[in-house]
Structure formats: structure tokens, C-alpha cells
Amino acid sequence: MFTEIKGLNEECGVFAVWGHKDAAQITYYGLHSLQHRGQEGAGIVVTDGEQLSVHKGMGLVNDVFRPEDLTLLHGKGAIGHVRYATAGGGGFANVQPLLFRSQRGGLALAHNGNLVNANNLKHQLEGQGSIFQSTSDTEVLAHLIKRSGYYTLEDQLKNALSMLKGAYAFAIMNETQLMVALDPNGLRPLSIGRLGDAYVVASETCAFDIIGAEYERDVQPGELVIIDDNGLRSERFVSSQPRAICSMEYVYFARPDSNVDGVNVHTARKNLGKQLAYEAPIEADVVTGVPDSSISAAIGYAEQTGIPYELGLIKNRYVGRTFIQPSQELREQGVKMKLSAVRGVVEGKRVVMIDDSIVRGTTSRRIVRMLREAGAKEVHVRISSPPIKNPCFYGIDTSTTEELIASNHSIEEMRDMMGADTLAFLSTEGLMEGIGRDSLEPNCGQCLACFTGQYPTEIYADTLHPHAKV
Ligand code: SF4
């Protein structure tokens, strides 16, 4: 994925397994295939039926886990997490799963998403004496569970979840049970699979393929799934709201080999490219896509227009991750290092460059310049999603409104700034049509808030600054 230079970052992936003797190893492989969802920290908590053990650290899954670390994690149940840290900031204390121990036993939590009322709840809880170990909004759930007057974890959890607002896919585990829950709008993806007699749960179905698990179904909005040695049970903790799954999962975040709520991501992207060709055709000699996440859309655009698809841009896979470099200037240098234009393909040609989205616009400007330096006669930029004009409060770091180029400039101004001959975006209708979800719900059951500004949940005053979380 091209995550780190776009300025659009997913904030986590979760994985869980129950009923497998190699739970930690299975989780390790699962986290590997979710690595694109977060690269700043990873962790696994395992249960042997009597106690929880944890190993976690900063960095990629490969950096955090050595073979000997996994052999120390014995047990039949595990939850794992990969993190991209924006909500709550970075640092080891925020690496998940979070593990809490009390006289009644342990509790491990892993979360994908972002709570929009975390600050409110945190202030209330601190007023009641809670002391927070981390700055992650995820910890709020642990305190709500602990303060609930209910006896069983299941009831405590239902009560606690009913107080949360925002986006969440949770995996929660104690010594004897695994529970997974999805927010009432189903903003984030979460799927259940089977591996022999074991159950597996993952943010994306690509994690099932790597371990040979069979996809069974998706977790439903407002559903709490309880898995233990007696099997799987489904409960509800709130009445369901209209589905509002994140559109950007289809456009950019999820891996092309994943199915998100029943729709294959590569197919959706290819159809977005076709839709874009229908809405914004142009005379040209070659179509190329910004690797990796725009390739599927570029293939679709080429197929629809009949203009040949070519590898006009290639990615250098062995460059260090640029997101750890602090300044914009260094980030821009990073773009150069990561991508190259293929002179033999673009020289003297009218090139259609397909990208999946534009956040700050700096990447697009660099790529247009790169194509021109490689001899492209014309560069026509086509974006397979609508302009991102609003920040995301649901776990995607889309930058602030001031940094979003489409929030502050017209399409013509953006075209001029990036030095393209023409520029066009897909419409929101085209986005829904291209993704093709079989849904009669509003917006085809998708969240479109970063394009339209219509958020599917209430937004609290303290969430209006997405970089200032609890
Ligand atoms: S605002 Fe945009 S990025 Fe955030 S959940 Fe909605 S569609 Fe996804």
C-alpha cells in the first residue's frame, strides 16, 4: 500500500482466534496480512484458560515478534492488533492489545476505529476516580466495564458498549471467553471465519486466506459475538442504525484480495475506474495507476475507454517508511524515492494518471512532475473517489480541514497547483454505483462523510480536532 505518503492513514487492524492450540502463531500470521492497516505497533495477548500473557512492541509485526516470543505465548485463544497511532498519539503505552489485571482476572482489549465521545467519557470517569494508563481512547471501554454494576463480563460489556459513540470494531478477551463487537453503524469492517473447529475474527478477510480459514460471515452493526468452549453466540447491545461502512475501505485502505461486507475490494476499485471513465473520459495514449492501491481502478478505466493500461509508474519496495520523517520537505523527498516513472512507457505520450484519492495534493504534484520529467506530453489526472473535503472522526487520519486541498481549493485551482493538463474526480453517486453494494439503506449503507460532511453519528465538540484525542 501507499499509505504513508498519502496523508491518509488507517488506524488499526484486529485479529482474534478461539479454540486453536497454536493461537499465538495463527494470530501472528493474521497480523502480518493486516500490516497495511497499521505499522507503528503490534501485539498479541493469549489465554491458556487460566491466565493471559502478552507480547507487544513498537514497529512492524516482524520487528516485534521473534520466534522465541511466540513460543512463550501458550494458549488456545488470542487477540492481536496492529496500530497506526494518531488517536491518543504514539508510544508503547498505547500499543494494543491493552491488558488489565484485577482480582477478578485479566481483560484484554483490541480496537479498530475511533470513539467520538471518548473525551466526554474520560472526564466523567476521572471524576469518579478512574486513573488512565494510556492516552488511547480504547482504555475508556475498560474503565466502563470495570465500573459497570453487572456481574458477568457479557453484561458488563453490553452496558459499556451502549455508552460509546463513534466507530469501533473490538476484540475483547478474558481467560475463558472471546467477545467481538461492532459499532451500531458498522463503520469498520469485521469478519468471522472458521479454521477447522476454531473460530477466527479479522478486520479483513485477507487474514483468513493466509491461514487457510474459511470466511463465514460479517459481524453485524450493534452485534456482540461471544465465543467460548461452548461455541458462538450472538447478542445485541443496541438497536441497529443504518449501516455506514467506511467508503475509503473500498477506495484505498483494504487489501484488494479482501472482501469488505461481501464486496471484493479489487472488483470494487476496478468498477470505480470504469465509472470514472464513464464520467470523465479523455483522449489519451496510455492509462497508468499510482501503485499499489490505484492499479485496480486504472485497469478499470483502461478497460472502459479502450486506452491501453501500462505500468507507467513503479514503486521501489525497499525504501524505508517515509511517515517517520517529520517534515513535509522530507516527506516529499520520500515520494521521489518510493516511485519512479517509466520513461519507455510515458515518453511522448498523453498519459491518464489514475489515483484513488487526494488528501494534501503534494503527492499528486510530485507524480505529475515525475511523469513530465520522464517525457509525458500530457498528464490527465483522474481520481477514483470524490474530493475529500472533511476530516474523518472514525479512525482514519485524513488530516485537518486546513490541510485538505479539496476543502480549500476549486478543482481548477487544484489542477493548476498539481500542474496537470486536466483533473477530474468521481462523483459520490459514481462511488456508490462503482462499489455496487447490494443495499437499500441510505447511501447504499456507506459512510461518505469525508466527501459530503454528513456524519453518520453525532459529533462531539471535543472530536472536532481529530489530532487532540484523549
Ligand atoms: S469519514 Fe471517510 S474515511 Fe472516515 S469513516 Fe467515513 S468514509 Fe471512511
Side-chain angles (χ1 to χ4, degrees):
M1 301 293 283
F2 215 52
T3 311
E4 55 275 10
I5 60 170
K6 192 177 278 293
L8 193 60
N9 298 290
E10 177 64 77
E11 287 179 9
C12 309
V14 298
F15 186 89
V17 57
W18 190 267
H20 197 289
K21 65 178 177 44
D22 298 321
Q25 279 85 352
I26 297 284
T27 305
Y28 169 78
Y29 291 122
L31 292 183
H32 252 289
S33 57
L34 299 176
Q35 185 77 83
H36 58 287
R37 300 182 72 89
Q39 299 96 34
E40 293 194 353
I44 297 175
V45 172
V46 68
T47 175
D48 61 5
E50 291 182 359
Q51 62 175 1
L52 302 180
S53 313
V54 62
H55 183 85
K56 60 183 182 176
M58 305 285 290
L60 300 172
V61 175
N62 256 351
D63 303 331
V64 173
F65 292 97
R66 297 163 302 171
E68 55 270 34
D69 299 322
L70 288 171
T71 55
L72 294 174
L73 293 173
H74 300 289
K76 62 182 177 185
I79 64 173
H81 191 264
V82 286
R83 173 175 175 81
Y84 170 80
T86 293
F92 182 77
N94 289 328
V95 176
Q96 299 189 22
L98 299 180
L99 176 58
F100 302 91
R101 299 187 198 274
S102 72
Q103 283 178 334
R104 289 192 59 193
L107 183 69
L109 299 178
H111 174 206
N112 171 215
N114 194 55
L115 306 178
V116 294
N117 64 340
N119 279 347
N120 285 24
L121 291 169
K122 190 182 177 197
H123 290 147
Q124 284 172 28
L125 287 161
E126 282 178 337
Q128 293 162 12
S130 291
I131 297 170
F132 283 74
Q133 298 175 13
S134 73
T135 52
S136 152
D137 59 351
T138 310
E139 195 182 342
V140 168
L141 180 66
H143 288 272
L144 290 174
I145 291 171
K146 205 168 156 223
R147 292 201 162 263
S148 150
Y150 293 90
Y151 187 73
T152 65
L153 176 60
E154 183 179 328
D155 288 337
Q156 291 168 348
L157 193 50
K158 279 190 198 165
N159 179 253
L161 290 169
S162 70
M163 290 184 232
L164 304 182
K165 306 277 185 222
Y168 52 88
F170 274 116
I172 300 136
M173 191 176 70
N174 66 8
E175 290 78 0
T176 56
Q177 285 181 312
L178 165 68
M179 301 194 188
V180 294
L182 190 62
D183 69 74
N185 296 102
L187 275 146
R188 303 259 73 90
L190 192 62
S191 301
I192 301 175
R194 292 301 297 263
L195 179 61
D197 292 334
Y199 287 95
V200 284
V201 180
S203 291
E204 282 185 43
T205 60
C206 64
F208 297 159
D209 299 331
I210 197 173
I211 56 168
E214 291 278 321
Y215 165 81
E216 195 154 288
R217 70 173 176 92
D218 285 334
V219 179
Q220 296 304 304
E223 184 183 13
L224 173 66
V225 177
I226 302 119
I227 304 170
D228 57 22
D229 291 345
N230 297 319
L232 178 150
R233 277 186 300 122
S234 168
E235 296 279 336
R236 296 205 66 81
F237 56 90
V238 283
S239 56
S240 54
Q241 305 284 317
R243 183 90 204 235
I245 193 161
C246 173
S247 300
M248 291 304 289
E249 292 282 354
Y250 298 102
V251 169
Y252 174 66
F253 296 123
R255 263 179 38 169
D257 52 339
S258 287
N259 292 346
V260 173
D261 200 31
V263 176
N264 172 255
V265 172
H266 164 72
T267 308
R269 285 183 191 158
K270 200 170 154 193
N271 289 337
L272 292 174
K274 287 185 177 182
Q275 193 67 31
L276 185 59
Y278 178 71
E279 291 184 12
I282 189 81
E283 295 247 324
D285 304 308
V286 291
V287 177
T288 193
V290 179
D292 294 324
S293 52
S294 309
I295 303 280
S296 305
I299 292 170
Y301 191 96
E303 221 173 272
Q304 184 68 26
T305 54
I307 304 168
Y309 167 77
E310 295 284 356
L311 275 181
L313 292 163
I314 57 162
K315 185 173 167 184
N316 179 358
R317 292 176 194 281
Y318 302 104
V319 174
R321 290 167 297 144
T322 53
F323 75 84
I324 56 171
Q325 297 171 358
S327 71
Q328 185 65 21
E329 192 191 340
L330 285 175
R331 252 201 310 265
E332 290 184 20
Q333 280 178 16
V335 176
K336 263 189 179 165
M337 287 168 64
K338 286 176 93 67
L339 270 186
S340 305
V342 183
R343 180 173 288 276
V345 169
V346 302
E347 192 167 28
K349 302 275 175 54
R350 298 168 298 171
V351 177
V352 184
M353 179 200 111
I354 308 288
D355 203 350
D356 50 67
S357 51
I358 292 187
V359 182
R360 297 190 198 94
T362 44
T363 307
S364 312
R365 191 168 63 226
R366 288 269 165 193
I367 299 172
V368 170
R369 191 186 304 165
M370 201 183 284
L371 288 166
R372 289 206 192 279
E373 284 170 1
K377 202 162 71 180
E378 294 172 14
V379 181
H380 302 279
V381 178
R382 294 290 178 274
I383 308 297
S384 59
S385 64
I388 297 178
K389 296 184 174 178
N390 307 281
C392 174
F393 302 119
Y394 303 126
I396 308 299
D397 172 21
T398 49
S399 310
T400 58
T401 308
E402 299 75 52
E403 290 171 327
L404 293 170
I405 187 171
S407 175
N408 302 299
H409 297 281
S410 68
I411 290 181
E412 175 52 25
E413 284 169 345
M414 286 190 271
R415 182 208 62 72
D416 190 46
M417 288 161 82
M418 64 181 68
D421 291 280
T422 66
L423 167 68
F425 290 80
L426 189 63
S427 66
T428 47
E429 294 73 24
L431 180 75
M432 289 184 276
E433 181 72 31
I435 291 172
R437 285 169 53 81
D438 186 17
S439 169
L440 296 175
E441 293 182 291
N443 300 331
C444 296
Q446 290 168 227
C447 175
L448 300 169
C450 49
F451 313 120
T452 63
Q454 288 164 358
Y455 294 90
T457 70
E458 319 164 51
I459 298 296
Y460 291 68
D462 60 5
T463 55
L464 291 174
H465 303 284
H467 295 281
K469 298 290 176 196
V470 286

